[in-house]
Amino acid sequence: GAGVSQSPRYKVAKRGQDVALRCDPISGHVSLFWYQQALGQGPEFLTYFQNEAQLDKSGLPSDRFFAERPEGSVSTLKIQRTQQEDSAVYLCASSQGQKNEKLFFGSGTQLSVL
Amino acid sequence: AQKITQTQPGMFVQEKEAVTLDCTYDTSDPSYGLFWYKQPSSGEMIFLIYQGSYDQQNATEGRYSLNFQKARKSANLVISASQLGDSAMYFCAMREPPYSSASKIIFGSGTRLSIRP
């Protein structure tokens, strides 16, 4: 595709529900990042993939959060037993993989947990 | 842990004036990369400019330039001749050491810039 695509754009979940957020990076992009952004704040790092390898998951807030990228392309961020504090915008970004390269961001998924 | 600090939560600037957005970073590694991104109200993050720690010159991209002071660990973004469309959140970011494609990118808390007509 032309850009990074995230779905759904909006997700409302009841507390305790499981949710899955999808990220379709730009074709051929090796690197894929997930960030969590609270309203009025900067993006907080969650996890990072290079191809299918998850190189860093130090930002995942708890073991309720899980991310995968099994074929090195599409990635899914799963949140189990959602809590109200999980409400945020989840941003996905990709790049070709060079260290000095800019990230291309998707429009994000806005998750609201009621 | 590495850290990015943006001390200006919000700024108001008159249209056509220049504006400087502050960013300081904390790292003991000599090799790192710094980025600035813009986030309009639509939500999508847009890359503006990049500076490598070993780059000899300050980076420039059109109306954007980076005032890079390595000894002070600051990388301030300068926007010349501001326009109404520059109103947005601005984030400073750093690729953490060890500086490689395997390291994560962290962001500051941002500065909300509002341009007055």
Side-chain angles (χ1 to χ4, degrees), chain B residues 1-5 23-27 34 94 96 106-108:
Chain B
Q2 324 305 322
K3 192 176 175 183
I4 298 279
T5 302
C23 172
T24 58
Y25 53 91
D26 181 19
T27 180
L34 297 159
M94 180 172 72
E96 285 198 336
I106 59 170
F107 285 77

Side-chain angles (χ1 to χ4, degrees), chain B residues 4 25 32-36 49-52 66 68 75 92-94:
Chain B
I4 298 279
Y25 53 91
Y32 49 87
L34 297 159
F35 304 80
W36 276 91
I49 198 166
Y50 164 81
Q51 179 83 48
L66 219 149
F68 181 47
C92 182
M94 180 172 72

Side-chain angles (χ1 to χ4, degrees), chain A residues 45-111:
Chain A
F45 171 81
L46 292 177
T47 187
Y48 168 48
F49 291 86
Q50 209 169 65
N51 295 307
E52 68 278 5
Q54 191 173 20
L55 297 189
D56 191 329
K57 56 180 181 179
S58 62
L60 296 176
S62 74
D63 58 8
R64 296 187 296 104
F65 287 71
F66 172 76
E68 60 182 5
R69 194 185 185 198
E71 296 177 0
S73 176
V74 171
S75 177
T76 305
L77 177 67
K78 297 179 180 177
I79 308 173
Q80 296 178 324
R81 304 181 303 282
T82 51
Q83 304 293 316
Q84 283 190 320
E85 60 262 29
D86 300 335
S87 296
V89 174
Y90 291 84
L91 295 171
C92 176
S94 72
S95 76
Q96 290 181 333
Q98 300 302 312
K99 65 182 182 183
N100 60 348
E101 194 188 350
K102 66 182 179 182
L103 296 179
F104 292 82
F105 280 83
S107 299
T109 293
Q110 186 169 329
L111 173 65

Side-chain angles (χ1 to χ4, degrees), chain B:
Chain B
Q2 324 305 322
K3 192 176 175 183
I4 298 279
T5 302
Q6 294 182 254
T7 56
Q8 307 152 309
M11 288 186 71
F12 287 89
V13 171
Q14 202 67 31
E15 191 181 6
K16 298 181 186 176
E17 287 185 351
V19 56
T20 298
L21 305 180
D22 295 342
C23 172
T24 58
Y25 53 91
D26 181 19
T27 180
S28 56
D29 200 288
S31 182
Y32 49 87
L34 297 159
F35 304 80
W36 276 91
Y37 287 84
K38 171 185 178 181
Q39 189 176 42
S41 55
S42 60
E44 193 155 338
M45 297 279 277
I46 302 165
F47 167 79
L48 296 177
I49 198 166
Y50 164 81
Q51 179 83 48
S53 61
Y54 288 120
D55 291 346
Q56 294 296 315
Q57 302 207 350
N58 286 351
T60 60
E61 289 283 352
R63 292 187 301 113
Y64 304 108
S65 61
L66 219 149
N67 182 4
F68 181 47
Q69 299 188 38
K70 197 169 179 177
R72 294 186 177 185
K73 295 186 180 178
S74 76
N76 299 338
L77 177 71
V78 180
I79 306 174
S80 63
S82 57
Q83 302 171 354
L84 295 178
D86 293 334
S87 294
M89 283 288 285
Y90 288 81
F91 295 100
C92 182
M94 180 172 72
R95 189 134 213 170
E96 285 198 336
Y99 186 44
S100 76
S101 60
S103 58
K104 67 187 184 189
I105 297 174
I106 59 170
F107 285 77
S109 57
T111 295
R112 182 172 295 282
L113 177 63
S114 300
I115 307 299
R116 292 193 183 108

